Amino acid sequence: MHSNRRSFVARGLAAGTGGAALGFPAVVAAQQTFNWKMTSAYAKGAPFYMEGPGSAVDLARRIDTMSGGRLKIQVFGAGELIPAFEGFDAVRAGTVEMNHANSYFWTGKTFAAQYFTAVPFGLNFQGMNGWLYDGGGIDLWNEVYAPFGMVAMPCGNTGVQMTGWFKREINSVADLKGLKMRIPGLAGKVYANLGVDVKVLPGGEIFPALERGVIDAAEFVGPFQDRRLGLHKAAKYYYTTGWHESATVSELLINKAAWSKLPKDLQAIVENAAAACNVISEGWCQKANSDAMEDLIKNQKVIAKPLPDPVIAALRRETEKVLAEGIKDPLTKKVHDSYFAFKSKYDRWQEVSEEAYHLKVRG
Ligand code: CA
């Protein structure tokens, strides 16, 4: 009996080495390690994007910890490996496996990319998550990137941004005419329709340009990030709640061929780490912006207020024109229709839930 058992074990081991009977190949695959590179559109050390809770560096650290070191991601700030806005091409070519930025930087490659970052007058953070995770948004994102051999997922969110800093008060639509303003993306096209001279500058160049009067106005992110750049020292008027970026999504862009080579458990770790950073980064923004806004008003004597209603109405009208132009592209129309079908239902739900709470209950 003793020798029989020994021969059974021997047979089992032999079968295992020859095939999948004992799961050996799976064990070997699970122990394979991967060394990836992730670039960013933001400079090394930039809070929220590169450093701090839910940032690119935090995302890489979480993936390293959860995978027991099997997926190591080296993170590079803008300009360290490639220039700020070349992440799309680098991931597409497979030069790097991942890029951490915002999809609206790629609207020149595919206009539909705008919808996965922020649409002017669009969804808030909760609504955006509803559309992305449960309303088909992420599937559409991947459909848009399929021709480029890439996949994507949300990995951060600033929440609602601020309209921005203006050296002069804006009392009417006419006050926008001839104004030189730093404003990227689709919102730039909207302002341009109202006579704004639109400039696109990287974060680090905004303060000197505003201070020297090269530009008259600028938007960046929100109170914490804007104060860090010193924008309150160059312009006095801080126009509040951002019509142009109601919940700006950070994008984790991944080369599809590299993604396909990851075992399922490592893919799940990346997806879960990205979802964690999506929530954690937004939470950090709420705290950091609450503190910074109080300081800007109390100590820095900033004049903070919303844009006048007629200006907002004009911006809304021009946004509709810019979006109507974009949906001449069939894939953009597919994404647009999904986004706005979700939004119209969500808006009705918001009216009786979050909005009703803030207006009638919170006090
Ligand atoms: Ca912005």
Side-chain angles (χ1 to χ4, degrees):
M1 187 173 171
H2 198 92
S3 73
N4 277 351
R5 192 170 64 193
R6 201 180 310 159
S7 65
F8 171 78
V9 170
R11 276 199 309 277
L13 283 172
T17 53
L22 293 182
F24 285 178
V27 171
V28 169
Q31 285 172 342
Q32 189 179 351
T33 59
F34 296 82
N35 290 290
W36 281 17
K37 292 185 180 75
M38 173 161 66
T39 44
S40 169
Y42 297 89
K44 189 177 180 181
F48 174 78
Y49 290 108
M50 284 293 288
E51 296 284 346
S55 66
V57 167
D58 189 29
L59 176 67
R61 184 186 57 78
R62 286 168 192 274
I63 292 169
D64 186 8
T65 305
M66 283 194 269
S67 71
R70 286 162 51 221
L71 177 52
K72 291 212 170 285
I73 300 166
Q74 200 180 352
V75 184
F76 298 90
E80 286 192 288
L81 198 61
I82 55 167
F85 300 129
E86 287 184 13
F88 187 96
D89 289 332
V91 173
R92 186 182 182 184
T95 314
V96 300
E97 288 81 5
M98 284 175 160
N99 187 69
H100 190 283
N102 309 100
S103 64
Y104 65 3
F105 294 133
W106 325 130
T107 51
K109 312 277 184 187
T110 172
F111 186 83
Q114 176 75 41
Y115 289 79
F116 308 108
T117 303
V119 177
F121 300 99
L123 292 161
N124 65 5
F125 176 61
Q126 292 146 301
M128 198 62 188
N129 285 334
W131 179 62
L132 288 173
Y133 290 122
D134 293 300
I138 290 179
D139 292 340
L140 284 167
W141 204 343
N142 287 325
E143 188 178 332
V144 167
Y145 286 164
F148 304 100
M150 300 191 286
V151 294
M153 60 190 77
C155 65
N157 199 302
T158 63
V160 67
Q161 298 201 357
M162 292 282 110
T163 291
W165 300 86
F166 291 71
K167 281 178 175 286
R168 292 187 303 274
E169 216 170 351
I170 302 297
N171 294 313
S172 69
V173 177
D175 290 339
L176 293 175
K177 204 162 177 60
L179 197 79
K180 294 190 288 291
M181 180 173 186
R182 184 269 181 188
I183 172 96
L186 206 140
K189 288 186 182 165
V190 175
Y191 274 121
N193 283 3
L194 295 172
V196 172
D197 181 3
V198 171
K199 311 282 183 197
V200 180
L201 304 172
E205 291 176 29
I206 301 175
F207 174 75
L210 192 60
E211 192 187 35
R212 285 185 216 136
V214 176
I215 53 175
D216 312 301
E219 82 82 45
F220 184 46
V221 184
F224 181 91
Q225 316 273 25
D226 295 1
R227 185 184 58 173
R228 183 170 173 269
L229 294 188
L231 302 186
H232 57 290
K233 292 175 187 157
K236 192 164 66 169
Y237 296 98
Y238 196 20
Y239 283 95
T240 53
T241 189
W243 62 275
H244 65 305
E245 294 188 43
S246 48
T248 307
V249 178
S250 303
E251 171 190 75
L252 182 59
L253 185 62
I254 309 170
N255 179 282
K256 198 171 184 175
W259 177 250
S260 309
K261 287 184 193 132
L262 287 186
K264 289 274 175 271
D265 66 329
L266 290 186
Q267 288 184 347
I269 285 169
V270 172
E271 285 170 346
N272 280 279
C277 287
N278 187 35
V279 174
I280 290 164
S281 66
E282 202 270 348
W284 177 86
C285 285
Q286 297 306 328
K287 168 71 167 70
N289 284 332
S290 302
D291 293 344
M293 195 69 193
E294 185 173 83
D295 173 56
L296 285 170
I297 292 171
K298 276 192 183 165
N299 307 322
Q300 318 292 336
K301 309 298 178 206
V302 161
I303 300 167
K305 56 183 179 178
L307 285 170
D309 289 346
V311 174
I312 291 174
L315 290 164
R316 187 187 295 276
R317 200 175 56 237
E318 294 307 323
T319 294
E320 282 164 13
K321 285 187 204 163
V322 170
L323 292 178
E325 186 64 27
I327 61 174
K328 288 178 182 168
D329 164 50
L331 188 53
T332 301
K333 185 173 187 317
K334 188 177 178 182
V335 176
H336 176 96
D337 289 350
S338 167
Y339 182 98
F340 281 100
F342 179 89
K343 185 175 179 295
S344 66
K345 201 177 273 189
Y346 179 72
D347 285 350
R348 290 195 293 277
W349 160 238
Q350 280 284 284
E351 275 175 34
V352 298
S353 58
E354 295 288 336
E355 284 172 22
Y357 175 79
H358 290 296
L359 290 172
K360 297 183 188 304
V361 178
R362 188 187 63 183

